[in-house]
Amino acid sequence: MIFQKVLVCVCLCVFCHYVLLHASRKTFSNVKVSISAQWTPSVQNASSPAFSPGETWEENKLFADNGEATLFLGALDTIFLFSYAVGLYISGVIGDRLNLRYVLSAGLCGSAVVEFLFGTLTEWLHFYNVYFYCSLWVLNGLLQSAVWPCVVAVMGNWFGKSGRGFVFGLWSACASVGNILGAFLASSVLKYGYEYAFLVTSVVQFAGGVVVFFGLLTSPKEVGLIPVERDPDSQQPLMSDDEEPDEDVVCDGGYYSIQQRDEEPVSQTKAIGFFQAFCLPGVLPYSLAYACLKLVNYSFFFWLPFYLSNNFSWKEAQADRLSVWYDVGGIIGGTVQGLISDFLGKRAPVLSVSLLLAMGALVGYSHSPNDQAINGVLLAVTGFLIGGPSNMISSAISADLGRQEALQGSQEALATVTGIVDGTGSIGAAGGQYLVSLIESKLGWMWVFYFFILMVKFFPGLLILLYLLSS
């Protein structure tokens, strides 16, 4: 029974800490309107000339108007995602070679410090500089990239393939829960200034990184266990590294407890190379397909509160709270679709059907009336059909690819494969964010949705091709 308790604690630990990371990441998108207002000159009222000369009023303003500020915000999103993508390729390899706990803790704490500098300290000091902001956001992307491959690898170490779609679909809701938490934290302190939204989330994230450093168990082997998870065609435990283990094994509570003999050394698994992982079956097609999907998903992530506030003239705090319905839909979608894929034994058909339906959802949402209730319902449906598949690919499918038979005993590939899939997806998302701001400024929001529909239309075709080739 104690083994199940350890498992639950590990799941909750990695879940909660990725929630904190995404809550702090979501803060930037939730306060874009406030940041844009701070970076552009304000309209002087009748009494301002008496105590505020124009020179003082214009001091430290980065941009001449809101349009320029919006383009720079899009550029920052692109900078973050490109550095995040590059970091994922590197951090996945590092995670398979170093202690996952140290890498994960460094990513959480380092990112928290950078976000405090970006959003809080610069405002307190009234220091506004384009190059400084860009440098911080590059560093933030690199640090945050260390987290996701590590948490997926930890979960993959504790769970076998059977039922992985449901378990990972439910667990991968950590990103959406983090978005919801970040939206509520930001909206609750926004009246004091956007710098306090960054302050709250960065402090909580830093504390979470400290907890990870001292308390996370990254693998059952750290407590002398190997999960008993058998494939239908195999009588060997899924996570066993040796064909014929030499340890004395005691089975209890769904785990093998290892009592190693003193005279025999522990066998070490060999980490797979980056290019070997890239050439594994399914990695490249899913990575390219995820690039299209993550572009759309992260566009909602970065721009939804800004869109709601500008398009419907709703208050920024109201827009922040309403945007959480997209994440609610993503939580339900990832869980339900993961469960269905477990029953079918195939994930590609489920994702393809979901994304074909997502095209209709995008058309419907682009014509949403100025009504918060209707908008929330349409957001939830859109999140179910887009956010759900996104959660599946970045977690369950990545774990499947990192534990496939083609590895032939070299099981230290989970973080590397996860980094490749998520990194390629982030490259697609990075290129899309500046395009979103550019399309919106030149053509309007309706053309942004046409762009989303185009990206989603290509994605099912890639998945169906993958499914047919692997059948």
Side-chain angles (χ1 to χ4, degrees):
M1 194 64 184
I2 189 173
F3 306 129
Q4 284 81 357
K5 292 180 180 179
V6 172
L7 183 62
V8 170
C9 290
V10 171
C11 291
L12 288 176
C13 183
V14 292
F15 183 94
C16 292
H17 290 100
Y18 200 75
V19 164
L20 298 179
L21 180 79
H22 244 263
S24 64
R25 186 186 300 177
K26 181 67 172 174
T27 301
F28 180 62
S29 64
N30 286 335
V31 300
K32 277 183 174 178
V33 173
S34 296
I35 292 177
S36 178
Q38 185 66 19
W39 288 351
T40 54
S42 301
V43 178
Q44 297 184 15
N45 55 40
S47 62
S48 61
F51 60 87
S52 180
E55 292 80 6
T56 303
W57 194 269
E58 301 287 337
E59 186 180 5
N60 288 332
K61 300 306 178 182
L62 289 176
F63 305 103
D65 54 43
N66 186 67
E68 291 184 9
T70 300
L71 285 175
F72 181 66
L73 290 171
L76 282 177
D77 290 337
T78 301
I79 288 170
F80 172 82
L81 284 173
F82 267 125
S83 59
Y84 183 72
V86 172
L88 283 167
Y89 289 130
I90 301 171
S91 61
V93 176
I94 294 174
D96 280 331
R97 286 161 173 78
L98 301 180
N99 191 304
L100 291 170
R101 180 160 53 91
Y102 300 151
V103 179
L104 179 55
S105 178
L108 287 168
C109 293
S111 172
V113 172
V114 170
E115 288 171 355
F116 171 78
L117 295 174
F118 178 93
T120 304
L121 190 61
T122 55
E123 183 60 30
W124 283 350
L125 298 177
H126 299 291
F127 177 75
Y128 309 102
N129 184 276
V130 169
Y131 300 106
F132 185 66
Y133 285 134
C134 291
S135 300
L136 285 178
W137 237 222
V138 169
L139 182 58
N140 191 34
L142 293 173
L143 288 168
Q144 289 202 16
S145 68
V147 179
W148 183 250
C150 290
V151 295
V152 173
V154 170
M155 288 293 293
N157 288 340
W158 284 90
F159 286 95
K161 186 174 182 180
S162 177
R164 183 180 285 157
F166 172 73
V167 172
F168 275 67
L170 181 61
W171 172 81
S172 64
C174 55
S176 297
V177 173
N179 295 342
I180 294 171
L181 177 63
F184 279 105
L185 287 176
S187 62
S188 63
V189 299
L190 197 56
K191 59 184 177 182
Y192 304 109
Y194 75 84
E195 64 270 24
Y196 290 96
F198 281 101
L199 175 64
V200 171
T201 52
S202 61
V203 168
V204 174
Q205 180 183 323
F206 187 89
V210 174
V211 173
V212 165
F213 182 83
F214 289 104
L216 178 64
L217 295 174
T218 61
S219 170
K221 296 177 182 179
E222 292 187 1
V223 287
L225 303 173
I226 298 180
V228 183
E229 181 66 41
R230 301 180 186 273
D231 288 331
D233 300 327
S234 174
Q235 295 302 313
Q236 295 294 330
L238 182 63
M239 302 299 294
S240 178
D241 295 326
D242 301 316
E243 292 297 328
E244 295 180 1
D246 295 326
E247 296 88 353
D248 295 328
V249 177
V250 179
C251 185
D252 185 12
Y255 290 82
Y256 283 131
S257 177
I258 304 173
Q259 299 173 352
Q260 187 174 331
R261 296 167 187 163
D262 295 336
E263 67 273 10
E264 297 181 0
V266 180
S267 62
Q268 298 293 327
T269 57
K270 183 180 180 181
I272 193 171
F274 177 84
F275 291 104
Q276 288 178 287
F278 217 111
C279 294
L280 287 172
V283 171
L284 182 58
Y286 268 114
S287 298
L288 295 176
Y290 190 46
C292 298
L293 176 57
K294 193 168 185 177
L295 186 156
V296 178
N297 195 49
Y298 261 59
S299 295
F300 273 92
F301 174 83
F302 282 120
W303 290 102
L304 184 55
F306 188 85
Y307 165 75
L308 294 173
S309 182
N310 281 269
N311 194 60
F312 297 108
S313 299
W314 295 335
K315 294 181 179 179
E316 191 173 20
Q318 291 178 321
D320 289 345
R321 293 191 181 98
L322 186 64
S323 68
V324 305
W325 288 106
Y326 180 85
D327 296 296
V328 171
I331 293 172
I332 300 173
T335 305
V336 172
Q337 292 171 36
L339 183 62
I340 295 173
S341 69
D342 283 339
F343 280 120
L344 294 179
K346 294 283 186 179
R347 311 214 191 275
V350 178
L351 302 183
S352 297
V353 171
S354 177
L355 290 164
L356 286 171
L357 296 175
M359 295 172 57
L362 285 169
V363 173
Y365 185 71
S366 66
H367 293 87
S368 174
N370 193 347
D371 183 279
Q372 294 190 18
I374 297 176
N375 196 287
V377 171
L378 292 175
L379 266 180
V381 173
T382 305
F384 182 94
L385 297 172
I386 296 178
S390 178
N391 291 344
M392 285 272 299
I393 294 177
S394 62
S395 58
I397 291 176
S398 294
D400 291 344
L401 295 174
R403 293 295 190 196
Q404 58 183 290
E405 294 178 0
L407 290 169
Q408 297 179 344
S410 179
Q411 294 296 321
E412 296 301 324
L414 223 170
T416 302
V417 170
T418 302
I420 291 173
V421 174
D422 205 12
T424 307
S426 296
I427 290 177
Q433 300 319 300
Y434 189 74
L435 285 175
V436 167
S437 62
L438 188 62
I439 294 172
E440 189 278 327
S441 63
K442 301 296 183 181
L443 301 173
W445 283 109
M446 185 56 66
W447 282 93
V448 172
F449 284 103
Y450 292 154
F451 176 58
F452 291 164
I453 293 169
L454 186 65
M455 290 296 101
V456 170
K457 185 177 181 179
F458 282 139
F459 183 76
L462 288 171
L463 273 182
I464 292 172
L465 178 62
L466 171 64
Y467 173 64
L468 292 176
L469 291 176
S470 61
S471 297

